[in-house]
């Protein structure tokens, strides 16, 4: 069964990790080999036997990895003498030592715990046999990310079309169609569709980078999945007239999984799109990769910012630091836009300029500062953007710092009559333990269309993501190795599409709702430092920002329990939303008479989360879980309610004796104090080693009016 993912904005990532060395005199080498006599290997065992022949009597313990799909070669632990001897073997092409912290272009697979040649990525066969459909701005088929090297033929059931007027489709890009706008072909005139498609399922491309940063091997989340691309545009409207919601419902009925971006209108609440409960709604967060560009102040304080283009020879001599917005009455002076520096001497100085929103162009600022002779720019976020650093591509020496760090720099400038600074460029750095951080732009819940369904569902990598691009932004016309860093929830969405493809490859019988449940109930709610996930304010994020939490692909492969929803289960839900018979029929494509159906409130839908709007009444709902773990297993519940709320679960322990067995439990919500709250309860189920345990519930509260909301 095909897996179909809807992408409305952008996404991409990938990376590798390497084995730890056990002996000081041994080092891991990546060895590239090629049969010199044109020999063809008929099976994997024969190829592996040939690889082992290079190691002679060293044997299996020295072999770390063998490569079959991307390159011909292997990774092995060798001494320097053994490495030199290996170069004399017939068929040896090249070898290089592994790097302990490689700078991978698409770092997100590694950040998501997907490692080449072992674990869930290997077990899922990299999404082999699954078809990912991308509804976006089209695709640039000649990009190496869409090479079909190592790809199997399309599934026999595939009946799609390739509407390019030249031979562009292959075993990777198996379908491409044009529907509503553009040049009459699926060719990507915007770049967005190329970026998202390569994020979800791009093939391995070595040497990818953007202006020398994030250098490494680019790869999608499901690199062996096939791609079918559809050039379409739409806008989000209520379910009944929303082409995305309608198409997604039809897809879901056929067993096709649909994921969509949450949109980029955060951090304000109630700004989501694509909120139908049969869609996985994806918000955006950071990875642990930083393109570090540090501000060194005259008082020796260092403040870390980021920049894409990093000059190698920027002087470390302190330069005068000036903030035009401090003294100039021109309201645009703080943004350093056109004409704002006419009366300010910035020649040879570092200029502090506020950024006027994350999507605003920085070109007017660059032209103004450069024209006035400024040496460099420190861009500072506005308060809504907080610490979210969406990086512009700027050739003038720059760095971008968060809002709070901008205040620190301004405080330093106010403390001295001669503020000084310089910029120290440190390149790509991996290991920020505050990651993931919810991006400021990621749209927030609650869902206005259906507030009883918690949205977004999940967050994933979507800030400064390196992915394929149709043309070279760097001006290099002699290469197809064209990539770009981009940010948006549509960059997060393809990550989740790729994860769903991996899950479908391992569990071909899982329904779309089962895949969604597995992703949501195993999500991470803490960052790499094991603290609660933060938002752009660097304070704990609420569930309207994170949904269930940050995707954890490996855990999603083994959720223990899942919440399934069949297509017919949505009809009582839709009738309960007070849709007319005709409106429900438009969505479900079948005749419906709501007066003959037992309608349900939104919170009664068998969703993997609860969204409860409190009035004065006690509210009780049920959930039905299906055992997809070990046949004989038990689960006990743990609850951590917010102040003033009582949550009771009956029974508080459930036992299973067989696989796919279903059990229903009941959850009752009531108030303890005289306060009115909107309560959101997220149930995350973990698969324990000995006893399967309902994990600690996540609860968030926001205040409503006296009569509820």
């Amino acid at each position: 069964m095909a897996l179909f993912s809807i992408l409305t904005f952008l996404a991409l990532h990938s990376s590798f990790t390497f084995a730890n060395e056990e002996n000081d005199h041994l080092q891991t080498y990546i060895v590239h080999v090629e049969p010199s006599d044109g020999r063809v290997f008929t099976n994997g065992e024969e190829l592996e036997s040939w690889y082992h022949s290079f190691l002679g009597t060293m044997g299996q313990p020295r072999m770390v990895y063998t490569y079959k799909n991307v390159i011909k070669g292997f990774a092995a632990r060798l001494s320097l003498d053994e490495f030199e001897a290996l170069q004399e073997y017939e068929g040896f092409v090249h070898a290089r030592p592994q790097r302990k912290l490689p700078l991978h272009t698409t770092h997100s697979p590694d950040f998501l715990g997907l490692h080449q040649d072992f674990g869930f990525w290997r077990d899922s066969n990299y999404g082999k046999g699954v078809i990912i459909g991308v509804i976006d701005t089209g695709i640039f088929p000649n990009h190496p990310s869409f090479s079909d090297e190592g790809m199997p033929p399309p599934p026999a059931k595939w009946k799609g079309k390739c509407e390019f007027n030249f031979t562009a489709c292959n075993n990777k890009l198996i379908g491409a169609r044009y529907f509503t706008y553009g040049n009459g072909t699926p060719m990507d005139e915007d770049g967005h569709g190329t970026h998202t498609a390569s994020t979800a399922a791009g093939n391995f491309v070595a040497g990818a980078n953007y202006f020398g940063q994030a250098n490494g091997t680019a790869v999608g989340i499901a690199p062996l999945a096939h791609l079918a691309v559809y050039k379409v545009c739409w806008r989000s409207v209520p379910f009944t007239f929303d082409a995305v919601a309608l198409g997604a419902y039809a897809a879901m009925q056929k067993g096709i999984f649909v994921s969509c971006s949450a949109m980029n209108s955060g951090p304000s609440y109630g700004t989501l799109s694509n909120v139908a409960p049969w869609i996985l709604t994806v918000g955006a967060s950071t990875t642990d990769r930083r393109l570090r560009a540090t501000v060194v102040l005259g008082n020796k304080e260092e403040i870390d910012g980021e920049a894409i283009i990093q000059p190698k020879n920027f002087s470390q001599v302190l330069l005068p630091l000036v903030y035009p917005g401090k003294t100039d009455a021109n309201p645009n002076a703080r943004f350093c836009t056109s004409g704002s520096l006419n009366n300010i001497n910035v020649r040879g100085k570092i200029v502090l300029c506020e950024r006027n929103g994350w999507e605003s162009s920085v070109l007017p600022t660059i032209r103004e500062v450069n024209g006035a002779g400024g040496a460099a720019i420190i861009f500072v976020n506005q308060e809504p953007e907080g610490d979210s650093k969406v990086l512009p591509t700027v050739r003038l020496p720059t760095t971008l710092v968060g809002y709070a760090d901008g205040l620190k720099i301004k405080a330093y400038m106010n403390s001295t009559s001669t503020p000084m600074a310089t910029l120290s460029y440190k390149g790509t750095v991996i290991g920020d333990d505050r990651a993931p951080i919810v991006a400021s732009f990621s749209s927030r819940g609650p869902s206005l269309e259906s507030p009883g369904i918690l949205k977004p569902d999940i967050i994933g990598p979507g800030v400064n993501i390196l992915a394929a691009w149709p043309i070279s932004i760097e001006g290099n016309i002699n290469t197809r190795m064209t990539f770009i860093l981009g940010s948006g929830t549509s960059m997060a969405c393809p990550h989740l599409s790729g994860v769903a493809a991996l899950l479908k490859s391992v569990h071909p019988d899982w329904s779309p709702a089962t895949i969604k449940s597995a992703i949501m109930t195993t999500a991470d709610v803490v960052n790499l430092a094991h603290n609660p996930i933060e938002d752009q304010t660097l304070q704990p994020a609420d569930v309207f920002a994170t949904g269930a939490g940050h995707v954890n692909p490996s855990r999603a492969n083994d959720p223990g329990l899942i919440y399934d929803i069949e297509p017919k289960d949505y009809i009582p839900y839709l009738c309960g939303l007070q849709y007319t018979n005709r409106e429900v029929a438009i969505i479900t494509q079948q005749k419906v008479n709501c007066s003959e159906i037992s309608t349900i409130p939104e919170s009664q839908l068998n969703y993997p989360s609860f969204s409860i709007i409190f009035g004065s009444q006690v509210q009780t709902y049920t959930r039905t879980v299906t055992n997809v773990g070990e046949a004989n297993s038990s689960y006990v519940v743990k609850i951590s309610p917010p102040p003033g709320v009582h949550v009771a679960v009956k029974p508080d322990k459930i036992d299973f004796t067989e696989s796919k067995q279903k059990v229903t439990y009941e959850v009752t919500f009531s108030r303890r104090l005289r306060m009115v709250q909107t309560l959101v309860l997220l149930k995350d189920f973990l698969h324990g080693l000995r006893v399967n345990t309902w994990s600690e519930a996540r609860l968030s509260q926001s205040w409503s009016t006296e009569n509820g909301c």
Side-chain angles (χ1 to χ4, degrees):
M1 185 174 294
L3 177 137
F4 197 89
S5 69
I6 291 183
L7 313 179
T8 58
F9 275 33
L10 295 178
L12 163 156
H13 284 329
S14 92
S15 86
F16 306 74
T17 58
F18 301 95
N20 292 325
E21 304 299 337
E22 297 177 1
N23 300 297
D24 291 340
H25 69 286
L26 298 181
Q27 186 171 3
T28 299
Y29 289 84
I30 311 301
V31 182
H32 296 250
V33 294
E34 189 71 37
S36 58
D37 55 1
R39 178 181 178 186
V40 177
F41 299 97
T42 58
N43 55 60
E45 289 76 14
E46 186 178 354
L47 180 61
E48 284 208 10
S49 177
W50 181 58
Y51 288 161
H52 281 282
S53 71
F54 286 82
L55 301 183
T57 59
M58 288 182 277
Q60 178 65 33
R62 296 295 189 86
M63 186 71 76
V64 179
Y65 306 128
T66 57
Y67 301 105
K68 303 181 181 67
N69 299 310
V70 183
I71 63 170
K72 285 188 174 66
F74 54 90
R77 292 166 47 251
L78 306 170
S79 67
L80 181 59
D81 290 341
E82 290 166 343
F83 165 69
E84 292 175 350
L86 192 68
Q87 299 178 54
E88 303 301 321
Y89 277 65
E90 184 176 353
F92 176 89
V93 176
H94 173 69
R96 62 173 174 81
Q98 76 161 8
R99 290 168 291 173
K100 288 291 185 179
L101 287 175
L103 305 179
H104 291 122
T105 311
T106 55
H107 174 62
S108 54
D110 185 51
F111 181 67
L112 295 177
L114 298 174
H115 308 308
Q116 191 176 20
D117 291 327
F118 67 94
F120 176 47
W121 219 10
R122 178 199 61 194
D123 296 345
S124 68
N125 211 357
Y126 308 95
K128 185 177 181 179
V130 177
I131 301 170
I132 297 180
V134 181
I135 298 179
D136 209 302
T137 63
I139 192 167
F140 189 75
N142 292 332
H143 196 281
S145 290
F146 310 121
S147 164
D148 65 353
E149 181 179 355
M151 289 292 302
K157 62 191 173 186
W158 173 247
K159 307 298 181 185
K161 297 181 180 180
C162 183
E163 294 182 342
F164 282 108
N165 58 7
F166 57 92
T167 304
C169 292
N170 54 27
N171 286 336
K172 165 60 73 175
L173 179 61
I174 63 174
R177 302 195 66 182
Y178 154 87
F179 285 98
T180 58
Y181 71 94
N183 57 11
T185 79
M187 183 65 72
D188 186 6
E189 299 167 299
D190 176 89
H192 193 279
T194 299
H195 197 283
T196 58
S198 67
T199 298
N203 212 331
F204 292 84
V205 182
N209 67 85
Y210 187 48
F211 286 95
Q213 296 303 313
N215 186 52
T217 298
V219 60
I221 298 298
L224 291 189
H226 305 282
L227 281 167
V229 174
Y230 302 86
K231 188 173 182 177
V232 179
C233 73
W234 65 80
R235 61 185 180 88
S236 183
V237 293
F239 297 163
T240 308
F241 308 106
D242 183 351
V244 176
L246 297 179
Y249 191 92
M252 176 269 302
Q253 288 180 304
K254 297 180 184 296
I256 297 170
F257 179 88
V258 180
S259 61
C260 291
S261 62
M263 297 296 284
N264 301 325
S265 300
S268 299
Y269 288 102
T271 54
L272 293 166
S273 292
N274 304 316
V275 295
W278 49 86
I279 292 173
L280 182 75
T281 308
V282 184
S285 54
T286 65
T287 71
D288 63 340
R289 182 177 62 196
R290 300 290 178 264
L291 310 184
R292 189 163 294 167
T294 300
V295 179
V296 181
L297 299 175
N299 61 2
K300 298 185 179 180
E301 183 178 4
E302 295 190 0
I303 295 177
D304 288 331
E306 294 190 67
I308 294 174
I309 300 178
Q310 302 200 3
K312 296 181 179 180
N313 57 352
F314 191 78
S315 173
Q316 295 305 288
V317 175
L318 293 174
L319 300 173
L321 176 62
V322 59
Y323 172 44
K326 180 179 179 180
T327 57
D328 199 297
N330 183 343
N332 291 322
R334 61 191 180 115
F335 303 121
C336 308
T337 50
S338 180
S340 63
L341 302 183
N342 290 344
N343 300 318
I344 302 173
N345 178 20
V346 300
R347 183 167 299 278
K349 301 177 182 179
I350 295 179
V351 187
L352 183 75
C353 304
E354 297 182 23
R355 192 173 181 186
N356 193 15
W358 75 280
E359 289 186 298
S360 64
S361 173
V362 298
L363 287 179
T365 299
I366 298 300
R367 294 192 186 104
E368 183 72 6
V369 174
N370 191 47
I377 301 174
I378 300 173
F379 283 108
V380 177
N381 274 344
Q382 298 287 293
E383 187 171 9
E385 285 71 47
D387 197 60
S388 293
K389 301 180 183 71
V390 178
L391 301 180
T393 302
V394 179
R395 295 183 184 273
L396 188 71
T398 66
T399 187
L400 172 64
V401 302
Y403 173 73
D405 284 333
L407 294 180
K408 292 179 183 178
I409 297 174
K410 292 175 184 177
Y412 158 72
M413 297 179 71
N414 290 332
S415 70
T416 176
S417 59
T418 56
M420 307 288 284
T422 190
L423 302 182
S424 176
Y425 292 102
K426 301 179 180 179
T428 304
V429 179
I430 292 173
D432 180 5
D433 64 3
R434 298 188 87 147
I437 298 171
V438 181
S440 61
F441 58 76
S442 186
S443 288
R444 266 56 165 184
S447 164
L448 301 182
E449 188 65 27
S450 184
I453 300 295
L454 179 64
K455 292 283 183 170
D457 294 306
I458 199 78
I459 56 174
V463 179
N464 300 323
I465 304 303
L466 188 73
W469 201 252
I471 61 174
S472 173
I473 304 299
E474 302 175 51
N476 189 343
I477 62 174
N478 298 316
T479 182
R480 292 192 300 154
M481 296 280 291
T482 50
F483 295 85
I484 194 172
L485 284 168
S487 299
T489 55
S490 56
M491 297 175 176
C493 179
H495 286 86
L496 272 297
S497 303
V499 170
L502 300 179
L503 293 172
K504 190 69 174 179
S505 182
V506 176
H507 307 283
D509 60 331
W510 277 13
S511 69
T514 297
I515 293 174
K516 175 191 276 192
S517 175
I519 289 172
M520 291 176 62
T521 61
T522 59
D524 291 328
V525 297
V526 295
N527 59 25
L528 295 181
H530 303 290
N531 296 317
I533 291 175
E534 299 170 335
D535 62 17
Q536 76 284 350
T537 67
L538 301 183
Q539 297 299 313
D542 62 33
V543 291
F544 293 126
T546 65
H550 190 272
V551 61
N552 186 320
S554 297
R555 286 178 57 191
N557 187 45
D558 187 19
L561 303 179
I562 58 91
Y563 298 85
D564 203 5
I565 305 175
E566 297 182 16
K568 63 181 178 62
D569 297 334
Y570 291 105
I571 296 176
Y573 157 81
L574 291 169
C575 290
L577 286 177
Q578 304 302 307
Y579 281 106
T580 66
N581 293 340
R582 181 177 179 275
E583 289 171 336
V584 177
I586 290 173
I587 297 171
T588 63
Q589 292 298 296
Q590 64 185 79
K591 290 185 177 180
V592 173
N593 187 343
C594 287
S595 65
E596 298 177 353
I597 293 174
S598 297
T599 63
I600 62 171
E602 299 163 88
S603 297
Q604 182 55 37
L605 187 67
N606 200 44
Y607 213 69
S609 62
F610 283 101
S611 180
I612 307 299
I613 301 174
F614 259 116
S616 58
Q617 76 279 20
V618 173
Q619 300 182 47
T620 299
Y621 303 99
T622 61
R623 288 291 187 271
T624 298
V625 290
T626 303
N627 180 25
V628 295
E630 296 180 7
N632 294 301
S633 54
S634 297
Y635 292 79
V636 294
V637 68
K638 295 180 181 178
I639 301 173
S640 180
V645 177
H646 180 263
V647 180
V649 178
K650 294 182 180 180
D652 59 5
K653 179 183 179 184
I654 52 179
D655 301 305
F656 295 93
T657 58
E658 57 186 75
S659 179
K660 298 185 179 180
Q661 180 182 351
K662 296 180 182 292
V663 172
T664 298
Y665 66 92
E666 182 180 274
V667 184
T668 299
F669 303 91
S670 59
R671 291 186 302 158
R672 280 179 169 164
L673 303 178
R674 295 184 56 128
M675 60 178 67
V676 181
Q677 300 171 321
T678 298
L679 168 69
V680 177
L681 166 63
L682 254 161
K683 291 295 304 163
D684 297 332
F685 290 94
L686 300 180
H687 191 181
L689 296 176
R690 296 183 180 177
V691 179
N692 295 330
T693 306
W694 292 350
S695 73
E696 182 179 51
R698 295 185 61 221
L699 296 144
S700 175
Q701 58 187 13
S702 62
W703 299 101
S704 69
T705 63
E706 183 63 24
N707 296 319
C709 59

